[in-house]
Amino acid sequence: PMAPEAPPNSYVAFISSYSEGKAVALATQCTHDWVVHNMLYFSRVYPRGTRFDSTNFLPKPMWQAGAQMCALNLQTIDLGYRLNDGLFRLNGGCGYVLKPRWMLDAAFEAMGPDYFAEAREAISRARDSRVSHTASDCSSDPSSFTRT
């Protein structure tokens, strides 16, 4: 599978938006490339459109892969909501949590994809069982890039 595309060099900052299914596919099939992408760029994961009951996906596997924003349905107090609430209490409830130190380390990019075999398995086990893999590969649609 192919990794997410890098934005054109002319963009200083941008947001890549990924559906829940696409993010799970990237996290499980292209772990190293997606983590490196998230080290350099801002990624947002949103719930799949078939969540008519307003349930939430589990944001923790997405955070572990470096996604900075997980859009959740705040009207539903479920495990996804509680994980989100708990994480953002870590920093005094100020609304953000800093990236882990390892995500700021340039040496991390040199680690090969095999380094993430265990992480891929953990993400696969932890993901919401109702998520289906809709992505056939790991390439991103360039139209998902949004200027900020």
Side-chain angles (χ1 to χ4, degrees):
M2 295 174 52
E5 288 184 28
N9 290 334
S10 61
Y11 291 161
V12 175
F14 74 95
I15 298 173
S16 298
S17 291
Y18 298 94
S19 69
E20 167 187 354
K22 178 73 169 187
V24 169
L26 287 168
T28 57
Q29 298 171 18
C30 306
T31 309
H32 178 263
D33 294 328
W34 200 46
V35 170
V36 169
H37 176 83
N38 291 331
M39 288 173 66
L40 302 172
Y41 310 110
F42 193 95
S43 294
R44 170 186 167 262
V45 179
Y46 57 89
R48 68 175 187 264
T50 57
R51 286 188 178 270
F52 298 115
D53 57 355
S54 297
T55 57
N56 290 302
F57 62 94
L58 295 177
K60 185 178 176 192
M62 301 303 106
W63 294 329
Q64 289 172 321
Q68 294 85 1
M69 179 187 289
C70 292
L72 299 175
N73 298 306
L74 298 181
Q75 69 270 28
T76 304
I77 311 298
D78 57 7
L79 181 58
Y81 176 93
R82 290 183 180 125
L83 289 170
N84 186 71
D85 184 56
L87 177 71
F88 289 99
R89 287 180 184 222
L90 289 175
N91 203 14
C94 69
Y96 70 92
V97 176
L98 296 176
K99 286 184 181 182
R101 182 173 229 92
W102 65 268
M103 285 196 79
L104 302 173
D105 186 357
F108 173 82
E109 291 183 55
M111 297 177 190
D114 293 337
Y115 180 81
F116 291 96
E118 185 176 323
R120 276 193 298 276
E121 291 173 24
I123 290 169
S124 292
R125 286 190 306 270
R127 73 175 180 246
D128 185 349
S129 62
R130 295 189 300 167
V131 173
S132 63
H133 292 280
T134 57
S136 59
D137 66 0
C138 295
S139 61
S140 293
D141 177 3
S143 66
S144 68
F145 299 130
T146 305
R147 290 186 194 198
T148 58

